[in-house]
């Protein structure tokens, strides 16, 4: 925050959110932040961020190509994967070495409690360095872009909805009276929670998904001329489902389905018509982390800035940028005015 302009100059909060979530993700998973939010970020951190972004885009392209993925070629993609591995590998090896050392120390009763990181927990499982790296990167990919997309969608709406922003700020001030938020505070802020749910409804970071039937299956609806009859799905059949359009269906959400209206969450209790984190046994295990992280960020911005507004040059309606996740096509440009400024 310290590095952001304080004088009403416009800043792309989407760019900020992607850096922030890379720093938080690497800190939480690896125990070492990439530090790319800092204007003085190291060359290594910067190269890692560039390579990670390019690698994720390459993964998205390969998923789209399906069985033709082996034909995907982008010289920079190979280079980017190598760079990401070169960044993560020494951290993984050090964690495995530390876990082995701690294991033998624990044996001789001289070990001490260390701070939890995902990598440290994984490193003590005794799996190979490559597998450990793959697990860590898998979670980083799942955690980082999704959370950044949610944050940038939230800033996009915050800057365009002064009335909603005023209600949020009033709730934050009432609850916190100027102090830093704690876990319970964030959970207690009803309007903030509605706001985030609404951002996930209109702008789900994962806008579509696919399942494959592992056996012959009969779905209760979807067949017949009007889609209300059962439908047969043979084993091996891919079924694509559109979360983005389901979240905007008028028959499920009402005539104002396209409007950003946090108040709707006072009464709606959706089931499978609301799937930002998917549902069932493979529901996102990181959802509480993402909700907490986003709540914290929004609260801190509402505390620090008296006004967040979209610049006159950035008033056009939301457009999509869909790679592995769906972000704001034109970026999330916001003019920030410091409180008391
Ligand atoms: C707003 C942020 C997030 C959104 C919208 C989101 C969304 C999703 C969705 C839709 C899935 C299901 C994918 C599928 O089944 O095909 C998923 C899975 C997953 N997410 Fe998240 N996620 C978010 C943040 C996070 C975070 C912060 C973490 C980790 C700290 C995380 C870790 C995972 C993992 C490990 C899976 C795979 C679970 C499995 O396959 O059983 N996610 N996420």
């Amino acid at each position: 925050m310290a590095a952001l302009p304080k004088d009403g100059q416009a800043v792309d909060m989407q760019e900020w959110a992607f850096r922030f979530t890379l720093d938080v993700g690497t800190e939480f998973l690896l125990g070492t932040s990439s530090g790319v939010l800092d204007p003085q970020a190291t060359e290594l951190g910067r190269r890692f961020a560039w390579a990670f972004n390019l690698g994720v885009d390459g993964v998205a392209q390969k998923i789209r190509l399906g069985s033709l993925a082996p034909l995907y070629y982008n010289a920079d993609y190979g280079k980017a994967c190598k760079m990401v591995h070169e960044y993560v590998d020494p951290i993984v090896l050090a964690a495995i070495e530390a876990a082995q050392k701690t294991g033998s120390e624990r044996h001789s009763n001289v070990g001490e409690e260390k701070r939890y990181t995902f990598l440290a927990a994984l490193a003590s499982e005794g799996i190979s360095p490559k597998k450990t790296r793959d697990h860590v990167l898998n979670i980083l990919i799942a955690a980082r872009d999704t959370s950044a997309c949610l944050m940038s969608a939230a800033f996009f709406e915050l800057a365009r909805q002064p009335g909603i922003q005023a209600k949020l700020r009033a709730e934050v001030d009432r609850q916190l009276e100027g102090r830093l938020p704690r876990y319970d505070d964030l959970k207690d802020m009803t309007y903030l929670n509605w706001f985030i749910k609404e951002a996930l409804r209109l702008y789900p970071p994962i806008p579509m998904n696919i399942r494959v039937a592992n056996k012959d299956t009969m779905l209760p609806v979807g067949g017949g001329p009007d889609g209300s009859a059962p439908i047969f799905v043979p084993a091996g059949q891919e079924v694509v489902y559109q979360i983005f359009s389901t979240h905007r269906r008028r028959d499920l959400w009402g005539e104002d389905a396209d409007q950003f209206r946090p108040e709707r969450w006072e009464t709606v209790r959706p089931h499978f018509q609301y799937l930002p984190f998917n549902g069932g046994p493979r529901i996102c295990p990181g959802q509480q982390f993402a909700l907490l992280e986003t709540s914290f960020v929004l609260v801190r911005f509402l505390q620090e800035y008296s006004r967040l507004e979209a610049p006159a040059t950035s008033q056009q309606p939301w457009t999509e940028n869909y790679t592995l996740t769906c972000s704001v096509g034109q970026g999330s440009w916001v003019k920030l005015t410091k409180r008391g400024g």
Side-chain angles (χ1 to χ4, degrees), residues 157 161 164 195 198-199 201-203 258-262:
E157 284 297 339
Q161 307 267 10
I164 293 176
F195 176 83
E198 188 70 343
R201 184 183 71 84
L202 276 185
Y203 312 105
D258 285 336
Q259 272 174 39
F260 189 91
R261 198 171 63 80

Side-chain angles (χ1 to χ4, degrees), residues 85-235:
H85 294 170
E86 282 170 2
Y87 181 88
V88 175
D89 281 345
I91 304 174
V92 165
L93 289 176
I96 291 176
E97 208 174 289
Q100 284 162 352
K101 199 161 155 256
T102 311
S104 55
E105 278 172 359
R106 198 180 290 142
H107 211 61
S108 57
N109 262 346
V110 291
E112 60 186 54
E113 276 303 308
K114 295 252 161 52
R115 185 172 68 97
Y116 174 88
T117 66
F118 179 76
L119 174 59
L122 207 60
S124 61
E125 294 287 315
I127 51 179
S128 73
K130 181 185 175 307
K131 266 204 173 148
T132 308
R133 176 234 277 162
D134 290 350
H135 281 309
V136 168
L137 287 177
N138 181 30
I139 308 283
L140 188 57
I141 289 174
R144 189 274 186 129
D145 290 27
T146 46
S147 308
C149 290
L150 167 59
M151 274 177 213
S152 48
F155 279 115
F156 184 83
E157 284 297 339
L158 204 57
R160 277 164 184 74
Q161 307 267 10
I164 293 176
Q165 190 183 136
K167 283 189 195 174
L168 282 169
R169 194 174 282 101
E171 184 179 61
V172 167
D173 289 347
R174 204 170 45 242
Q175 175 81 22
L176 298 172
E177 296 174 335
R179 66 177 163 78
L180 286 176
R182 291 189 291 255
Y183 176 85
D184 288 344
D185 294 318
L186 298 173
K187 291 283 157 202
D188 283 350
M189 286 191 227
T190 309
Y191 197 69
L192 176 69
N193 293 325
W194 291 351
F195 176 83
I196 293 174
K197 279 184 182 159
E198 188 70 343
L200 283 166
R201 184 183 71 84
L202 276 185
Y203 312 105
I206 310 272
M208 58 165 279
N209 212 329
I210 300 176
R211 286 292 181 264
V212 180
N214 61 10
K215 56 180 185 211
D216 288 353
T217 306
M218 192 66 101
L219 295 180
V221 288
D226 64 354
S228 64
I231 189 168
F232 176 64
V233 183

Side-chain angles (χ1 to χ4, degrees), residues 28-29 138-139 142-144 146-147 150 200 204-206 209-211 241 243 275-278 281-287 289-291 293-294:
F28 164 66
L29 295 167
N138 181 30
I139 308 283
R144 189 274 186 129
T146 46
S147 308
L150 167 59
L200 283 166
I206 310 272
N209 212 329
I210 300 176
R211 286 292 181 264
Y241 54 104
I243 297 146
L275 287 174
F277 295 105
N278 213 4
R282 303 305 290 263
I283 196 166
C284 172
Q287 67 169 292
F289 186 102
L291 294 174
E293 184 187 16
T294 306

Side-chain angles (χ1 to χ4, degrees), residues 12 14-15 18 53 56-57 60-61 64 144-146 148-150 152-153 156 202-208 244 248 317-332:
D12 182 2
Q14 179 156 273
E15 169 71 24
F18 270 78
N53 290 342
V56 170
D57 286 353
Q61 296 287 359
R64 280 196 189 120
R144 189 274 186 129
D145 290 27
T146 46
C149 290
L150 167 59
S152 48
F156 184 83
L202 276 185
Y203 312 105
I206 310 272
M208 58 165 279
F244 184 92
R248 289 171 180 243
W318 180 88
T319 56
E320 71 176 37
N321 174 31
Y322 186 22
T323 55
L324 196 59
T325 52
C326 191
S327 57
V328 189
Q330 64 266 49
S332 197

